[in-house]
Amino acid sequence: MNPQISRRKSISVSIQHLIIGGQAPIAVQSMTNTDTADISATTRQIAELARAGSEIVRMTVNNDAAAAAAPVIREKLDAQGINVPIVGDFHYNGHQLLEKYPECAQALAKYRINPGNVGGGKKHDARFASMIETAIRYDKAIRIGVNWGSLDKTLAAKMMDENARASNPLDADHMMHEIMVASALQSAAQAEHIGLPRNRITLSCKMSRVQDLIAVYQTLANHCDHALHLGLTEAGMGSKGIVASTAALAVLLQQGIGDTIRISLTPEPGGDRTQEVRVAQEILQSMGLRAFTPTVIACPGCGRTTSTYFQTLAQDIQTYLREQIPYWKQQYPGVENMDVAVMGCVVNGPGESKHANIGISLPGTGEQPSAPVYIDGIKTTTLKGQDIADQFKQIVNQYVQTTYQ
């Protein structure tokens, strides 16, 4: 962990075999987008997300078919040796489904409860209490997940009326923040009053605008010691979603706020759902908070590098490292901390290569057609020919086998 980033103190929460909060590593979450009732598709996607590195996977439990499918999905994953905790995402009818399908309640590691979608008035308290009592009965954790798009209408109306009567009323944005935080904290207090231990509760307050998210979580972190789940909701598609999520989460993580994270990307048509896992990992790794896979350092290219070969090699090496890391981690502890440099000319190439564990400096435009390789700061060989990529992969393999034992 980066020693410059001090984590806020939070309560440790046990979710199946995983601990979040406290001083546990910040966990990566994801969510399925399959129809949960489609057991094969959902099991397959959870397995893909887990293999990509998701340490917690959430799935929708919205009807009888989904609730009935949950224990079957759990059994199929266990049969594959995939023990990733599954979180059930409940809205509107969660109290009914958990009561009607005890096998579902037992199979899930955690229940996500949205206080704004439990019900209004007296129904809210009774339904919320029913879900908390089920969590207590089966010794499950919960996440109280407040979302600005579905706030508790009763609480919002009450607080807005009080604000309107105040001598110095808050503006609409600040009032929204206050309602979000109040909903999370009041729901947590209610759950504890019913009997759920404090160390079984995680909180989240999801917003879709970067500055709103930062402000809400700063306030929330100052008012509680619960484990906090971070995520910019409805972040968007492609680079927009990645940049917005990174901008918001990086600020909070730098301040020591956050115990689990999820990147809520809208997939491209036919896109890979595991992208949200990779982005979450890259945020944590780039900040020095965790290491998941060897880092590839590559220059952006310029007029000195009119050949695109170094770009192809950088992509090839990065893909190769990602493919190998699941196997390497089992045999070579610490390999995820390795730095590999793939540079395109002599300006920064040798220097960056010397600072990496392994580095290669490819020839730029007009340079001698050779590629020096550096290992732990020392030039060890020079590669030439058409198979530089394969030669370099062999060198990387040899380094891993001899260094991480």
Side-chain angles (χ1 to χ4, degrees):
M1 179 180 290
N2 189 333
Q4 296 179 341
I5 300 178
S6 178
R7 295 272 299 282
R8 65 183 276 276
K9 293 181 179 180
S10 63
I11 299 292
S12 296
V13 179
S14 176
I15 306 173
Q16 204 165 298
H17 64 282
L18 183 71
I19 301 294
I20 64 170
Q23 293 305 303
I26 298 169
V28 172
Q29 294 198 31
S30 61
M31 185 174 182
T32 62
N33 63 352
T34 56
D35 179 356
T36 304
D38 186 337
I39 293 172
S40 296
T42 304
T43 302
R44 181 168 57 252
Q45 190 171 81
I46 292 175
E48 290 171 353
L49 291 166
R51 292 188 182 109
S54 184
E55 292 155 311
I56 305 170
V57 179
R58 181 160 51 110
M59 68 181 188
T60 296
V61 184
N62 59 332
N63 54 36
D64 291 83
V72 183
I73 292 169
R74 178 72 271 169
E75 289 174 3
K76 288 184 175 295
L77 290 168
D78 290 341
Q80 298 177 47
I82 298 172
N83 62 353
V84 64
I86 302 176
V87 179
D89 193 52
F90 294 99
H91 298 275
Y92 310 112
N93 59 353
H95 60 293
Q96 295 173 331
L97 295 175
L98 286 171
E99 184 68 27
K100 186 176 179 181
Y101 295 93
E103 296 86 358
C104 170
Q106 181 62 53
L108 297 170
K110 186 177 184 180
Y111 313 149
R112 186 275 176 112
I113 306 172
N114 182 342
N117 288 338
V118 175
K122 294 181 179 179
K123 289 182 178 179
H124 175 283
D125 292 347
R127 292 175 179 180
F128 183 83
S130 174
M131 297 183 76
I132 298 302
E133 287 164 358
T134 301
I136 294 170
R137 186 181 312 129
Y138 294 102
D139 194 25
K140 302 297 180 179
I142 67 163
R143 171 158 70 93
I144 294 171
V146 182
N147 192 300
W148 83 305
S150 52
L151 277 175
D152 182 332
K153 294 180 177 60
T154 302
L155 176 64
K158 176 177 179 292
M159 291 186 66
M160 285 190 290
D161 286 345
E162 292 172 351
N163 182 60
R165 294 193 296 269
S167 56
N168 293 302
L170 299 175
D171 61 36
D173 285 344
H174 284 86
M175 199 60 224
M176 173 73 75
H177 302 167
E178 292 292 319
I179 296 169
M180 294 280 291
V181 172
S183 180
L185 295 178
Q186 289 181 21
S187 297
Q190 185 179 359
E192 289 185 60
H193 178 73
I194 294 168
L196 187 67
R198 194 175 185 79
N199 64 358
R200 307 299 283 164
I201 302 171
T202 303
L203 303 182
S204 69
C205 286
K206 297 283 191 76
M207 309 286 283
S208 63
R209 295 186 301 198
V210 171
Q211 295 297 343
D212 287 329
L213 191 82
I214 293 170
V216 164
Y217 272 94
Q218 287 173 336
T219 302
L220 184 62
N222 285 331
H223 285 82
C224 74
D225 59 359
H226 289 92
L228 300 182
H229 169 66
L230 304 185
L232 187 74
T233 191
E234 289 94 36
M237 182 179 288
S239 60
K240 185 271 180 186
I242 294 172
V243 171
S245 293
T246 303
L249 269 59
V251 172
L252 293 168
L253 292 168
Q254 185 70 25
Q255 295 173 359
I257 298 171
D259 300 289
T260 73
I261 67 171
R262 186 208 168 193
I263 309 302
S264 301
L265 296 179
T266 303
E268 303 283 349
D272 184 358
R273 189 70 170 177
T274 60
Q275 183 185 20
E276 66 178 57
V277 179
R278 291 192 295 273
V279 173
Q281 291 178 330
E282 287 166 3
I283 290 172
L284 294 175
Q285 182 151 337
S286 66
M287 296 186 69
L289 292 169
R290 290 190 66 180
F292 297 94
T293 189
T295 299
V296 175
I297 302 161
C299 67
C302 65
R304 300 178 62 92
T305 57
T306 54
S307 168
T308 60
Y309 182 70
F310 86 94
Q311 300 168 354
T312 303
L313 180 61
Q315 184 180 48
D316 190 9
I317 294 301
Q318 182 162 286
T319 300
Y320 177 72
L321 294 174
R322 283 195 172 276
E323 290 173 346
Q324 294 302 310
I325 194 65
Y327 310 104
W328 282 348
K329 274 188 173 182
Q330 297 177 14
Q331 302 181 59
Y332 308 112
V335 68
E336 64 273 14
N337 296 296
M338 180 173 64
D339 288 335
V340 179
V342 180
M343 305 300 293
C345 76
V346 297
V347 174
N348 293 317
E352 288 283 5
S353 297
K354 289 177 182 178
H355 284 98
N357 297 112
I358 308 174
I360 184 169
S361 181
L362 296 167
T365 304
E367 294 177 8
Q368 182 180 354
S370 60
V373 175
Y374 298 82
I375 296 179
D376 291 330
I378 300 173
K379 181 181 175 182
T380 59
T381 188
T382 299
L383 304 182
K384 299 179 180 180
Q386 300 299 313
D387 62 341
I388 286 178
D390 290 336
Q391 294 180 59
F392 189 60
K393 288 177 186 176
Q394 290 179 13
I395 292 171
V396 171
N397 263 320
Q398 292 171 2
Y399 182 85
V400 170
Q401 293 169 11
T402 57
T403 303
Y404 301 98
Q405 298 180 358

